[in-house]
Amino acid sequence: KRLNVARTLVFILFIYLVVCLGLYVYNEPVRHYEISGITNISDAYVLRKAELVDYPPFVSLNLKEIEKKLREDPFIEDVKVSYNWNFQIDIKIEESIPVFFVRSENKVCLSDGTLVDNNGTYAGIPTLLNDTPELVRTSLASNLKKVDPGILYMISEIEYTPKYSEAGKPIDD
């Protein structure tokens, strides 16, 4: 049999193009990050926490690892990271918002009940005046998240004082 030179050249050219396309896609960096769902934290904060500041190659990203890094942050309740067309990464975040200041511990309580250090940047949130059990504080925080922010910022102080019956048992435990 004779070697068909034209078919062989077309086959080699096809393999060359596939390899070049593969190398291009493998080395192409992320072009854009689309971050949605945040109001209290910045895009730069999210990119630093996910270690995505230097636009790494698109194919080498491990989305589950990025989600894991972001979930470790107390200000982020839930996150979903996905690929998009044109070398873009979509990051959808549900954030924990600061709902009140715990005066006895000098900490800020987030909407999921987590306490974080007070760095003085949360002006205008209500102050919890007295000690409360952790279960009550967590329940209060999760319910205050549902309140409109305009109404929430009109509250200045919150005091937890359960009512007791004549027998000495708490009524609203």
Side-chain angles (χ1 to χ4, degrees):
K1 284 189 160 186
R2 274 185 73 200
L3 179 66
N4 189 340
V5 177
R7 281 188 188 168
T8 305
L9 287 176
V10 169
F11 179 73
I12 290 172
L13 181 62
F14 176 74
I15 296 296
Y16 175 75
L17 289 175
V18 167
V19 169
C20 287
L21 180 66
L23 287 174
Y24 170 74
V25 169
Y26 184 76
N27 291 327
E28 187 67 21
V30 174
R31 292 184 183 165
H32 181 69
Y33 298 107
E34 186 66 35
I35 302 172
S36 60
I38 56 174
T39 55
N40 295 318
I41 56 178
S42 67
D43 292 351
Y45 178 84
V46 171
L47 293 177
R48 276 194 308 273
K49 286 293 179 180
E51 298 175 5
L52 297 174
V53 178
D54 58 352
Y55 291 90
F58 185 76
V59 178
S60 69
L61 289 178
N62 184 347
L63 300 185
K64 297 295 181 192
E65 186 67 29
I66 294 171
E67 285 180 1
K68 181 181 172 188
K69 288 176 188 174
L70 289 174
R71 279 196 181 103
E72 291 172 356
D73 190 84
F75 292 101
I76 297 175
E77 252 181 67
D78 193 26
V79 63
K80 177 69 177 141
V81 182
S82 60
Y83 292 116
N84 204 343
W85 292 102
N86 201 16
F87 302 102
Q88 179 176 324
I89 301 293
D90 287 339
I91 303 173
K92 293 182 174 97
I93 294 177
E94 182 181 335
E95 65 181 340
S96 294
I97 58 172
V99 287
F100 57 85
F101 171 71
V102 182
R103 185 171 71 178
S104 61
E105 298 183 31
N106 194 25
K107 294 188 182 257
V108 174
C109 184
L110 301 177
S111 59
D112 62 352
T114 307
L115 293 177
V116 295
D117 290 331
N118 180 23
N119 56 9
T121 61
Y122 307 110
I125 60 174
T127 301
L128 182 63
L129 298 176
N130 51 354
D131 287 332
T132 58
E134 184 177 350
L135 183 64
V136 173
R137 186 181 67 233
T138 303
S139 175
L140 175 65
S142 65
N143 288 317
L144 280 177
K145 179 184 179 183
K146 300 172 188 173
V147 175
D148 183 63
I151 295 172
L152 183 64
Y153 292 131
M154 290 174 40
I155 301 170
S156 62
E157 294 177 342
I158 302 169
E159 182 177 358
Y160 174 70
T161 48
K163 301 284 186 199
Y164 292 96
S165 68
E166 294 173 1
K169 293 186 177 183
I171 296 172
D172 58 354
D173 195 34

